[in-house]
Amino acid sequence: MTAPPLATPFHTLLVATRGEIALRVMRSARALGLRTVAVHSTADAGSRHVREADRAVCIGEPLPAQSYLNIPAILDAARCAGADAVHPGYGFLAENEDFAQACQDAGLVFVGPSAASIRAMGDKAGAKVLMQQAGVPCIPGYQGEDQTEERLAAEAARIGYPVMIKATAGGGGRGMRRVDAAADFAGLLRSARSEALGAFGDATVLLERAIEAPRHFEIQVLADRHGHAIHLGERDCSVQRRHQKLIEEAPSPAVSPALRARMGEAALAAVRAIGYEGVGTLEFLLDAEGRFYFMEMNTRLQVEHPVTEAITGLDLVALQLRVAAGEPLPLAQDEVRFDGHAIEVRLCAEDAGAGFMPQSGVLSRWRMPDSLRVEHALEDGAAVPPFYDSMIAKLVAHGRTRDEARRRLLAGLASAEALGVATNQAFLQRCLAHPVFAEGGATTAFIAQHQDALLAPDEAGQGLALAAAALLRALGRAPGAALAAPHPLAHRLPTRLHLALDGQAHVLQLVPGETGHYTVRAGEREHRMALIDIAPGRLRFVCDGVEEEAGYQAADGRLWLHCRGQAWCIEDRTLAPAVRAAGSDGDGRLRAAMNGRVVAVLAEPGQTVKAGQPLLTLEAMKMEHVHAAPAAGVLAAVHVAVGDQVAAGRLMAEIQPAAPAAPAR
């Protein structure tokens, strides 16, 4: 007679991650009566996840030690704090077989699958072979051991362009590149390998045929050690930038009950093939003909799990913890119920208009809506460091219908205030409001196909923000403003203002009128302004007959405004001396576009370079960003080296015009 599976109860849970993920896990752990232990880098010493845990242990500097990936330090923290279980979060450690094994060897319960399951599915090449053997449809490609550039280029030609290069140990879009032509293959291969090596310590890649404009789905699965496994339907995560998800929803508007059943059964076949235990997701692509293909398995909880929780009413973290303790799943497949629709957006610290460039800094004002489920770990004065992922919050709406959920999310997102660091808030609103998304037609090509509309400047919003900034300056609430009302003799004299909105210069005239009334002129435009009420951080006013409200915060010599659903950064340059912007007018100076670490120097001093030629690569928030030559000429100097941590705006290289060729004799 077979012995029943061994129970592994635990009482104190160490959460081996940071920020909103740590808070999310601790919330369910506390509800189950568990004590919690946080770990943190020195950069996160004052963070919310540290303060809200029962115990906390510092595990080192953020870089270059990679504290949250430092397995010995985390195990030492568990021993010191008396933890008997470890939750890896849903980042890199959650799919690290060495970490799972190390926890087991240390006598700790690992809240996740076995090291063997992680190993089986963590290598994308090996996982495809396993899935093919289990009868799960896979994308045609190459996942062989021969990793020479010549062999990979030959396989890409055999598969046919366009092809995808993917890091076999990767996830989250890191180490992934699309190649449209053979001439681009070598350069993109080097870039993918470099990013994969930096992110995962493994430069091995596989190749797959690129499926044009597919839908991207994932099936949520749960399995216990008693032989039971269920799926919780699909999530549609087709809206992506840089192969990273921005909007997720459940259920998908493109999936019928019959297709859901087929994909669910394929996902469960994969789970059974590897004897999986815990929570995980199977990712699939759906082509235009309705065929689905296995992409990869994430042997962990996903960032977007709240949308599944919203429509099923289940707490996935609690289920994950119960399964890790040896309990059976509390429901069977025919007991799974779906209620309504849920949509989630990822609020990221990034500049959408500048190629989604990651941003870092201090959030001077942080207000999230009560109408939505918001997963975050931030507050006024919280730092957004350059060392980690750019996502700073998830906002989730649930409704009876998809359109109800979409409209609730739009309204809640518009009311969110994140001031002090640029975010993708306005971009997300445009995605949600776009007719293609509203009708349920978005594919992975959505952003590329509609980027002109999604990134178009909001001229009306800019005008309103500038007018509100001028009013705040007149009231003494903005940087550079007078601290008292104007002298009576100057009551109606216009004031010339030089303001920069998101770096773009504007000249305005501010003309005082009757008490509390002003006229703001910007070129040929004129706005009639009237103050209704002002309080710390809040302005209510009338602009051209329409009553408006704006949140505001002055920080670091800048005015941050939240107006009509988006944030604006405004600098007062009225009294500043005229200077030429660094790097402008082709001056040959290459400056860092963000805080980051130098991971590659691609040219040497004395080398002749072309305008647009890649010179340096920075890694910021887990992604690589190539910095190209701003002008043609001779590379006169490189002021950084591989491994240097640089701040945004730092001078990294200088280019001098090439000497004119000597006249022919």
Side-chain angles (χ1 to χ4, degrees), residues 317-343:
V317 175
L319 289 172
Q320 191 180 29
L321 293 170
R322 291 184 182 278
V323 166
E327 297 181 25
L329 288 172
L331 74 168
Q333 188 65 57
D334 59 4
E335 295 176 296
V336 175
R337 297 289 181 267
F338 301 116
D339 174 31
H341 201 98
I343 308 177

Side-chain angles (χ1 to χ4, degrees), residues 309-479:
E309 293 184 327
I311 65 169
T312 62
L314 300 172
D315 183 332
L316 295 187
V317 175
L319 289 172
Q320 191 180 29
L321 293 170
R322 291 184 182 278
V323 166
E327 297 181 25
L329 288 172
L331 74 168
Q333 188 65 57
D334 59 4
E335 295 176 296
V336 175
R337 297 289 181 267
F338 301 116
D339 174 31
H341 201 98
I343 308 177
E344 170 186 293
V345 294
R346 302 189 187 197
L347 186 66
C348 298
E350 62 186 24
D351 185 346
F356 302 97
M357 190 74 70
Q359 305 292 301
S360 57
V362 175
L363 286 163
S364 55
R365 183 177 176 86
W366 179 258
R367 303 286 186 275
M368 290 292 110
D370 295 330
S371 59
L372 304 177
R373 173 176 172 175
V374 183
E375 299 286 343
H376 72 96
L378 299 170
E379 58 197 347
D380 289 357
V384 179
F387 314 114
Y388 311 118
D389 193 272
S390 63
M391 187 185 73
I392 57 176
K394 299 178 299 186
L395 292 82
V396 188
H398 179 258
R400 293 170 299 171
T401 66
R402 181 177 187 271
D403 197 55
E404 182 178 289
R406 185 185 67 87
R407 287 185 282 107
R408 285 181 176 175
L409 186 54
L410 258 173
L413 181 59
S415 69
E417 296 185 34
L419 304 181
V421 177
T423 74
N424 63 343
Q425 179 183 16
F427 180 79
L428 291 172
Q429 291 177 72
R430 290 190 179 190
C431 289
L432 292 171
H434 195 282
V436 171
F437 182 86
E439 294 165 6
T443 69
T444 56
F446 171 73
I447 289 177
Q449 289 174 345
H450 304 287
Q451 62 181 352
D452 289 345
L454 297 173
L455 296 171
D458 179 0
E459 295 182 0
Q462 290 176 358
L464 182 65
L466 288 167
L471 179 59
L472 282 167
R473 191 182 190 282
L475 297 170
R477 302 298 179 95

